[in-house]
Amino acid sequence: MERKQSWQGLTLQQVEENRKRYGENTLTPPPKTPLWKLFLEKFDDPIIRILLVAWLLSLVIAAVHCWGPEAKGFSAFLEPIGIFFAILLAGGVAFIFEAKAKKAFDVLNTVNDDTEVKVIREGHITQIPKREVVVGDIVVLETGEEVPADGRLLEAISLQINESTLTGEPVISKTTRKEDFDPEATYPSNVVMRGTTVVDGHGVFEVEQVGDATGYGKVYEGSQIENNIDTPLQMQLKGLAKVISKAGYALAGLTFVVLTTQILLASPTPPAVELIRELLNIFMIAVTLIVVSVPEGLPMSVTLSLALSMNRMLKTNNLVRKMHACETMGATTVICTDKTGTLTQNQMQVHETSFYNLKDQTLGDDALSQLVKEGIAANSTAFLDHSGSKVKALGNPTEAALLLWLDSQKEDYLALREQARIVEQLTFSTERKYMATLVHSPLLGKKVLYVKGAPEIVLSLCRQVAIDETQKPVEACKAAIEQQLLVYQNQAMRTLGFAYQIIEAGEPDRSYFPGGRLAKDTDLTFIGIAAISDPVRADVPDAVQSCLKAGIDVKIVTGDTPGTAREIARRIGAWKAEDTDRNLITGPAFEALTDEEALERIPGLKIMCRARPTDKQRLVHLLQQQNAVVAVTGDGTNDAPALNAAQVGLSMGDGTSVAKEASDITILDNSFASITRAVMWGRSLYRNIQRFLLFQLTINVAACLIVLIGSLIGAKSPLTITQMLWVNLIMDTFAAAALASLPPNPKVMNNKPRRSGPGGDFIVSRPMIWHIFTVGILFVIILLGLLIYFTHTGGGLTSYELSEFFTFFVLLQFWNMFNAKAFADNKSAFANLRRSPVFLWIALLIIAGQYLIVTFGGEMFNVEPLGWKDWGLILASTSVVLWIGEAVRFVRFILPSLRGRGYGN
């Protein structure tokens, strides 16, 4: 402590002056969007916009019907009221689900600025909250503590820092000795950065930057820049809105011209008042066509589909913050993934041990086993925390890996350490590259000197090697050991060598570490090697192969070394034998490329190592220029700019608050397999939206044709406003919920991603268009035939026949909903119904709703109760729609030539 006290630190007056001059050590939070603004943003949707236009036009129609010659009264406003509630409901559901996700995220992402920090002020060590640290403060760092601000080291004793939150490097050695500086280090060897943690040793540094001015703060600020890139679904819906608008206006315009021509041909010079009345009626028909052409249930369908997916994805460890991210994952063509913590477990573990005389590398009661386990336990400064469900390593990750290996061998490292009384200890340093501890060994009843460190250094300190039950000179074994080390190093593993010396009784007491190094007359015996790595997560290789099979390019973007990154890529199956250096690039080399050169290089790129935040962000932007839909995974502050720039940012549950704030989805279990599941959900969700479009647009085509034909022949619509409200809003909402509830289909992962950008795949595919118009026209023919039958047999439509017609129309849509369910699967509509209980319940609800409306709707719906015989006839006759669909699907299934045409692709 005396040496630390040699720094006087700031006076209280200087503290206040520096706080005023440089600011507080807090990060400026992003401005919170008011709830009312978030609510209004939900209506900034292309389909909702044209629905708003339809609502305004329906208000005009209602006003004319209410106060015009027909004088229908306020019942004329039922349709605009219904459309208004459809708009409100679609926006409200989206707002509620996103607000709920935001609340869960805020709890997950709580930042604590009150952590105690040791600083020297006015010559004394004191503890203050992290937010009160100012520029110029002298901060004392100990193992396990987080660095509170950016600064320059004044003292570093065996100091090792975990910089993975900023660079991806788990352990970086820090020093104040210029001759030991690492020229390849991302940050200078005598600089410590806010947000990193001390894994070993201790140090003292002077604060140079606080708060937003720190490297951590700058990345945080950069991650808040608004990303205005439209998601693939938003682009698709904008395109669909344009198509619907153009079709509606074109149909309305054509109708207006045709009907006006009819009037003028019938009476070339009609009275002015009569002409104005007729033109107003024609205008009302044209406006009605525009309103009917708008799929009122579509916004609700999309919202329901996204909302249900949000909830279900949470159960598979995907916390979705932004609703459209659910579907965007399904359109992803490239995943840029971090290595540490995403592909690997972010916990160093012993991959393999090679203690030469240890049988099966299993610890027992023999003398060598006693030396190995006592040496690992006593010659270490790391600890294990068993308090949680998962054992947590405290201290140097490499040393902790050895303790975890002991733990796996059912050995209590803490008991061994406490029993072996330490006489003298030399902690690890980057200069020496080894650690040594002299203990009183209760196992041997003697003093034992244990040494571990870089194998080549430890081996050079030894005189013999314990191998083949004997001890051989180092020179006789050196070549074999170096060959063994080369094998491990080629696999990007860290290696440690172990040695010991038994101090015989009677030897005089003396220091074995004169001048901070091992005494030259030590007689060490080399006993073996341990290879240590951050292992790949067990589920990652299969998950990566699933992505590659699904046509998604997986790129590893990491701050790690080329060798480590290449080895991890090889283990997960992303790096093949035929890959060359052309498929790998370092951050500095990538920065040196022009945009044109980089655009030519990145399609085949598999690994970017030694990557910095700006490199990752630039890679994302360049991929997007090539119409790629990019998902970025990351857990560190260095990942935040790229997370924000991507169409989907995926942060890890135990990642930094900055990374989570910049992301769209948080992977709670940190598993790449959860990302693959998110892709499956996204693709299935897109199919469900297509299914609803198939269902909804078929109704719209039929309704438009009925209105058009009716207006051309001068017939009145057999369906009332309230009946159309039930069909277009309530029933469509039920159908949306039913189709959105369909479970994800794992087989979607066998397909390539759909093409995005200009010239890409449209949400309404050619097979869908064929189905919509064929079935829509078929419905119109059937319904017109039914009207002709009723008119021919009775001379006019009775109230009972109108009830039959209304029920017939609804049940045609009901059975078509089953056809929509089977769309794109080439399977029967009855397949997997057991896995779709919600679909079945909603289908029953639609039938029950129709029965209640017809039975008890009375004057409001202009209906009369139907007899059971008629119900049976209508159900049976309308079900022909389903059976025709089943027949078509059967033919497509058994005839490869037809199936190859890609029904639903």
Side-chain angles (χ1 to χ4, degrees):
M1 278 294 187
E2 288 69 17
R3 188 175 179 188
K4 290 171 186 172
Q5 295 287 0
S6 64
W7 290 287
Q8 291 299 306
L10 300 176
T11 64
L12 295 180
Q13 182 181 349
Q14 288 173 322
V15 168
E16 292 305 318
E17 289 174 355
N18 286 3
R19 182 173 287 122
K20 289 178 183 177
R21 185 176 179 183
Y22 300 106
E24 291 197 340
N25 190 33
T26 55
L27 300 178
T28 304
K32 296 291 182 183
T33 307
L35 288 176
W36 64 267
K37 193 172 182 181
L38 287 173
F39 180 69
L40 291 179
E41 284 177 359
K42 298 303 111 187
F43 300 96
D44 188 22
D45 180 280
I47 299 295
I48 288 184
R49 285 178 191 170
I50 63 170
L51 198 53
L52 284 168
V53 173
W55 173 62
L56 292 172
L57 292 174
S58 70
L59 281 175
V60 174
I61 296 172
V64 172
H65 285 316
C66 178
W67 294 295
E70 297 180 29
K72 288 186 177 180
F74 283 97
S75 63
F77 285 94
L78 282 174
E79 183 166 12
I81 289 171
I83 295 174
F84 174 77
F85 276 105
I87 295 169
L88 195 65
L89 195 60
V93 169
F95 170 74
I96 290 167
F97 274 86
E98 284 200 0
K100 181 182 175 184
K102 183 179 181 299
K103 186 177 179 181
F105 175 79
D106 287 342
V107 172
L108 179 71
N109 208 30
T110 303
V111 179
N112 185 9
D113 282 328
D114 292 323
T115 307
E116 294 289 312
V117 176
K118 292 190 287 292
V119 299
I120 301 173
R121 287 182 179 174
E122 297 188 323
H124 301 285
I125 291 184
T126 183
Q127 286 192 321
I128 61 171
K130 181 169 71 174
R131 54 186 164 79
E132 293 184 7
V133 172
V134 299
V135 171
D137 261 329
I138 306 298
V139 179
V140 180
L141 293 174
E142 303 287 350
T143 300
E145 294 178 346
E146 183 179 301
V147 179
D150 292 0
R152 196 164 299 276
L153 285 166
L154 303 174
E155 179 180 276
I157 308 299
S158 303
L159 184 63
Q160 292 187 316
I161 300 284
N162 180 350
E163 287 188 351
S164 60
T165 58
L166 284 175
T167 66
E169 285 280 5
V171 180
I172 295 291
S173 296
K174 295 292 182 178
T175 180
T176 55
R177 290 162 52 97
K178 289 185 178 180
E179 57 269 28
D180 294 322
F181 282 9
D182 181 0
E184 294 185 358
T186 308
Y187 298 105
S189 296
N190 65 334
V191 168
V192 289
M193 306 293 291
R194 177 187 172 122
T196 60
T197 52
V198 180
V199 294
D200 198 15
H202 55 272
V204 179
F205 76 96
E206 181 179 354
V207 175
E208 295 183 338
Q209 305 286 351
V210 295
D212 293 336
T214 61
Y216 191 97
K218 289 175 182 176
V219 174
Y220 181 57
E221 185 180 358
S223 69
Q224 295 171 33
I225 297 172
E226 194 68 28
N227 179 2
N228 294 318
I229 295 175
D230 282 338
T231 68
L233 183 60
Q234 287 171 331
M235 289 189 286
Q236 294 276 5
L237 292 179
K238 281 183 180 179
L240 180 61
K242 288 180 181 177
V243 170
I244 291 172
S245 298
K246 289 177 181 178
Y249 292 135
L251 191 62
L254 180 64
T255 303
F256 188 87
V257 170
V258 170
L259 292 179
T260 303
T261 304
Q262 276 185 346
I263 291 171
L264 294 175
L265 289 175
S267 177
T269 56
V273 175
E274 185 68 26
L275 179 62
I276 291 171
R277 186 189 304 116
E278 290 293 340
L279 288 176
L280 183 61
N281 286 333
I282 294 171
F283 175 75
M284 295 298 292
I285 292 169
V287 170
T288 302
L289 276 170
I290 294 173
V291 174
V292 170
S293 70
V294 177
E296 293 96 335
L298 181 57
M300 190 62 198
S301 165
V302 173
T303 301
L304 271 177
S305 297
L306 293 170
L308 287 170
S309 292
M310 278 181 75
N311 259 3
R312 289 176 170 182
M313 287 173 72
L314 182 58
K315 294 176 182 177
T316 58
N317 297 305
N318 292 279
L319 173 59
V320 181
R321 295 178 59 212
K322 298 174 184 175
M323 195 174 277
H324 275 273
C326 297
E327 187 280 329
T328 308
M329 279 304 300
T332 298
T333 57
V334 180
I335 297 178
C336 295
T337 177
D338 188 27
K339 177 187 74 69
T340 307
T342 308
L343 302 178
T344 64
Q345 297 177 21
N346 198 18
Q347 186 173 68
M348 302 299 287
Q349 293 183 25
V350 173
H351 170 74
E352 187 174 275
T353 59
S354 183
F355 294 109
Y356 303 130
N357 286 333
L358 190 62
K359 187 178 180 181
D360 299 327
Q361 300 301 302
T362 303
L363 296 175
D365 295 325
D366 57 284
L368 180 61
S369 293
Q370 304 284 15
L371 287 168
V372 169
K373 59 188 179 186
E374 186 179 70
I376 290 174
N379 190 28
S380 175
T381 57
F383 290 86
L384 297 181
D385 180 5
H386 289 85
S387 60
S389 57
K390 181 182 177 183
V391 181
K392 185 179 179 181
L394 305 176
N396 184 292
T398 307
E399 289 193 342
L402 295 171
L403 299 185
L404 286 168
W405 180 73
L406 272 187
D407 194 62
S408 69
Q409 298 264 346
K410 309 299 182 187
E411 298 289 346
D412 186 347
Y413 83 93
L414 201 53
L416 289 165
R417 184 180 295 176
E418 290 171 350
Q419 291 165 13
R421 184 169 61 84
I422 295 176
V423 178
E424 199 175 8
Q425 191 170 69
L426 197 62
T427 58
F428 182 87
S429 75
T430 54
E431 295 84 10
R432 289 189 300 269
K433 298 190 184 300
Y434 63 81
M435 177 180 181
T437 304
L438 181 66
V439 302
H440 275 292
S441 172
L443 300 176
L444 300 175
K446 299 176 183 179
K447 288 181 184 178
V448 182
L449 173 62
Y450 293 109
V451 179
K452 75 166 185 291
E456 62 276 11
I457 300 296
V458 175
L459 189 62
S460 69
L461 297 170
C462 296
R463 295 186 180 179
Q464 56 272 328
V465 177
I467 191 167
D468 298 333
E469 306 296 334
T470 62
Q471 291 192 354
K472 296 182 179 180
V474 168
E475 289 72 21
C477 308
K478 191 174 181 179
I481 294 172
E482 287 176 345
Q483 182 60 38
Q484 188 180 24
L485 289 173
L486 186 61
V487 171
Y488 290 138
Q489 287 161 4
N490 286 339
Q491 296 177 43
M493 294 186 184
R494 297 181 183 182
T495 51
L496 285 176
F498 298 85
Y500 76 95
Q501 177 183 343
I502 297 175
I503 312 300
E504 297 296 338
E507 288 196 24
D509 291 338
R510 65 185 179 92
S511 173
Y512 282 82
F513 313 135
R517 289 187 176 273
L518 274 170
K520 291 183 179 179
D521 60 347
T522 53
D523 187 22
L524 292 172
T525 301
F526 194 81
I527 57 173
I529 299 167
I532 297 170
S533 67
D534 182 6
V536 169
R537 290 176 176 272
D539 55 0
V540 166
D542 287 343
V544 168
Q545 291 310 305
S546 179
C547 284
L548 295 175
K549 187 179 178 182
I552 300 171
D553 192 13
V554 178
K555 300 182 188 295
I556 299 175
V557 186
T558 177
D560 240 324
T561 63
T564 301
R566 188 187 287 110
E567 177 59 22
I568 293 299
R570 186 190 63 79
R571 290 188 202 169
I572 65 173
W575 188 268
K576 307 297 183 183
E578 62 271 16
D579 290 325
T580 66
D581 289 342
R582 180 78 180 168
N583 303 105
L584 180 148
I585 197 170
T586 63
F590 184 67
E591 184 183 36
L593 296 177
T594 64
D595 281 356
E596 291 73 20
E597 291 170 335
L599 284 168
E600 190 271 329
R601 181 81 181 269
I602 58 176
L605 194 64
K606 293 190 174 184
I607 298 171
M608 182 187 288
C609 47
R610 292 298 190 196
R612 294 155 296 186
T614 51
D615 300 324
K616 296 182 182 183
Q617 190 176 27
R618 184 186 179 211
L619 176 63
V620 171
H621 286 315
L622 290 172
L623 286 166
Q624 288 168 342
Q625 286 181 34
Q626 297 181 330
N627 292 325
V629 178
V630 186
V632 171
T633 76
D635 59 352
T637 302
N638 57 319
D639 299 314
L643 287 168
N644 183 60
Q647 278 97 337
V648 184
L650 300 140
S651 62
M652 300 298 114
D654 60 0
T656 66
S657 59
V658 176
K660 286 185 277 193
E661 192 69 50
S663 66
D664 304 297
I665 300 175
T666 298
I667 309 299
L668 299 178
D669 63 352
N670 302 337
S671 173
F672 195 90
S674 293
I675 298 169
T676 307
R677 286 193 292 271
V679 173
M680 180 186 70
W681 272 105
R683 291 188 176 188
S684 297
L685 169 61
Y686 185 77
R687 276 200 175 180
N688 287 347
I689 293 173
Q690 282 187 310
R691 288 180 173 114
F692 179 77
L693 277 173
L694 190 79
F695 170 81
Q696 171 82 77
L697 294 180
T698 302
I699 296 176
N700 283 76
V701 166
C704 281
L705 289 174
I706 288 172
V707 171
L708 179 62
I709 294 170
S711 63
L712 291 175
I713 63 176
K716 187 179 177 181
S717 172
L719 298 174
T720 66
I721 290 175
T722 50
Q723 289 173 352
M724 286 305 295
L725 273 176
W726 161 250
V727 173
N728 284 343
L729 297 178
I730 310 302
M731 182 181 166
D732 285 355
T733 300
F734 284 153
L739 295 169
S741 71
L742 295 175
N745 184 357
K747 289 186 178 179
V748 296
M749 296 301 286
N750 296 332
N751 303 330
K752 300 299 179 186
R754 66 179 189 271
R755 293 173 298 157
S756 299
D761 297 327
F762 189 45
I763 193 168
V764 182
S765 62
R766 286 185 180 180
M768 288 175 66
I769 294 171
W770 182 87
H771 183 284
I772 288 165
F773 281 97
T774 302
V775 177
I777 292 169
L778 179 63
F779 282 2
V780 171
I781 293 170
I782 293 171
L783 291 169
L784 288 177
L786 189 64
L787 282 175
I788 292 169
Y789 169 76
F790 284 149
T791 306
H792 179 72
T793 55
L797 290 174
T798 65
S799 180
Y800 191 89
E801 288 170 337
L802 284 172
S803 298
E804 287 183 307
F805 183 86
F806 171 46
T807 303
F808 199 93
F809 181 74
V810 168
L811 290 183
L812 281 176
Q813 318 306 330
F814 172 78
W815 293 116
N816 193 44
M817 184 176 73
F818 282 83
N819 282 333
K821 172 187 175 293
F823 174 73
D825 284 341
N826 274 338
K827 288 184 178 180
S828 168
F830 301 102
N832 300 321
L833 273 179
R834 289 185 179 180
R835 293 180 57 219
S836 312
V838 176
F839 181 90
L840 285 175
W841 279 110
I842 293 176
L844 292 173
L845 191 62
I846 291 172
I847 292 290
Q850 181 65 20
Y851 174 79
L852 291 173
I853 284 172
V854 171
T855 306
F856 303 106
E859 290 185 10
M860 183 178 179
F861 283 90
N862 193 27
V863 290
E864 287 185 15
L866 297 179
W868 288 110
K869 181 182 177 182
D870 289 326
W871 271 106
L873 283 171
I874 293 171
L875 276 167
S877 56
T878 53
S879 69
V880 171
V881 173
L882 173 61
W883 302 123
I884 291 173
E886 287 290 280
V888 171
R889 284 185 287 274
F890 178 73
V891 170
R892 289 184 182 279
F893 181 76
I894 61 171
L895 295 179
S897 60
L898 287 176
R899 188 172 62 179
R901 288 168 59 186
Y903 180 59
N905 290 340

